[in-house]
Amino acid sequence: MKVIVVGLGRMGTGLALNLMRKGHQVTVIDSNPEAFQNLGKDFSGHKVTGIGFDRDVLKKARIDQVDAVVSCTASDEANVVIARIAKNIYRVPRVVARLYDSTKADLYRRIGIQTISTTVWGIERATELLTYHQLDSVFEMGNGNVNVVRIEVPPLLVGHTVKEITAIGEIHVTGVSRYNKTFIPTGGTTLEAEDILYITVVASAAHKLKSMLGLA
């Protein structure tokens, strides 16, 4: 996956390094060239100096070719401008913005922008938001006979219930992340667009799960 990270404070630096370690192609943008030093000598990504909402800077970062943009500057206003440019002008599939003022979170979500906050949690949360596009194994139990996997709810399941992707003893939805909050669903929980599902599945039922999700 190709990702642009705008703003190399503690969160942006940690996120860029975390994504690089996971094998993604990372481009970083910051107005202060000295900020790049915090990435260390082993950072192999592309570095662009400039203002994150400057279109010439974004073009230099090849925003038209990326899969995701994360804006985590020190300014909420700058972050939402960058996020909206990425989403509305360049049609970047995944856009995440750092948000200090939590009262604005609902407003951002209504315009289709995922938000993150606190630094340590935010680094892992942003990584999760950017990489859930396929059926990813996040935890393995025993000898691999049981796995917890995550996936964004497929469009064909939006409006359906958790019960419809449950198979007793084989497949169970153990968690749902929605609007930056995670909860344990019931069988009657209705799935919404952009939900992230955490599903416990026995290895022998993996193909059945993929079929339920429309992936097989």
Side-chain angles (χ1 to χ4, degrees):
M1 181 173 65
K2 297 179 181 179
V3 187
I4 292 175
V5 176
V6 185
L8 289 177
R10 186 180 171 193
M11 175 178 283
T13 300
L15 178 58
L17 292 173
N18 200 27
L19 289 167
M20 189 188 72
R21 283 193 294 267
K22 293 179 182 294
H24 302 293
Q25 297 179 41
V26 182
T27 295
V28 293
I29 299 174
D30 199 282
S31 58
N32 179 10
E34 294 183 2
F36 300 130
Q37 296 176 12
N38 296 326
L39 294 166
K41 297 180 180 178
D42 294 331
F43 180 74
S44 59
H46 185 44
K47 303 170 186 175
V48 178
T49 303
I51 303 298
F53 49 77
D54 185 313
R55 294 196 192 181
D56 289 335
V57 171
L58 292 171
K59 287 179 181 178
K60 189 175 181 180
R62 300 176 183 173
I63 191 172
D64 58 326
Q65 299 176 28
V66 303
D67 305 294
V69 170
V70 185
S71 183
C72 42
T73 74
S75 166
D76 281 359
E77 289 72 21
N79 289 338
V80 75
V81 169
I82 294 165
R84 294 193 72 174
I85 290 172
K87 187 173 184 66
N88 298 334
I89 296 177
Y90 292 99
R91 306 296 180 187
V92 177
R94 301 191 186 283
V95 178
V96 180
R98 169 74 181 265
L99 181 64
Y100 290 93
D101 185 354
S102 59
T103 63
K104 298 176 183 176
D106 287 338
L107 172 62
Y108 285 16
R109 284 194 292 268
R110 284 198 294 271
I111 58 177
I113 298 172
Q114 293 276 5
T115 60
I116 49 175
S117 53
T118 57
T119 300
V120 176
W121 175 85
I123 290 171
E124 292 304 320
R125 176 59 174 159
T127 303
E128 176 184 276
L129 287 170
L130 296 174
T131 58
Y132 59 65
H133 59 289
Q134 40 189 317
L135 195 59
D136 295 330
S137 178
V138 294
F139 186 71
E140 186 176 279
M141 290 178 271
N143 295 318
N145 294 326
V146 177
N147 281 275
V148 178
V149 299
R150 69 182 175 194
I151 186 171
E152 181 180 4
V153 63
L156 64 89
L157 289 178
V158 173
H160 291 258
T161 64
V162 164
K163 186 177 180 180
E164 294 176 63
I165 47 174
T166 299
I168 296 174
E170 294 182 315
I171 299 168
H172 183 66
V173 180
T174 49
V176 176
S177 287
R178 178 182 297 166
Y179 300 147
N180 294 334
K181 295 182 179 179
T182 301
F183 61 93
I184 298 173
T186 66
T189 298
T190 301
L191 302 174
E192 298 183 7
E194 298 186 358
D195 280 353
I196 302 172
L197 308 181
Y198 290 85
I199 305 171
T200 302
V201 55
V202 298
S204 59
H207 185 74
K208 180 188 291 186
L209 173 60
K210 288 182 179 180
S211 180
M212 289 178 170
L213 296 171
L215 302 177

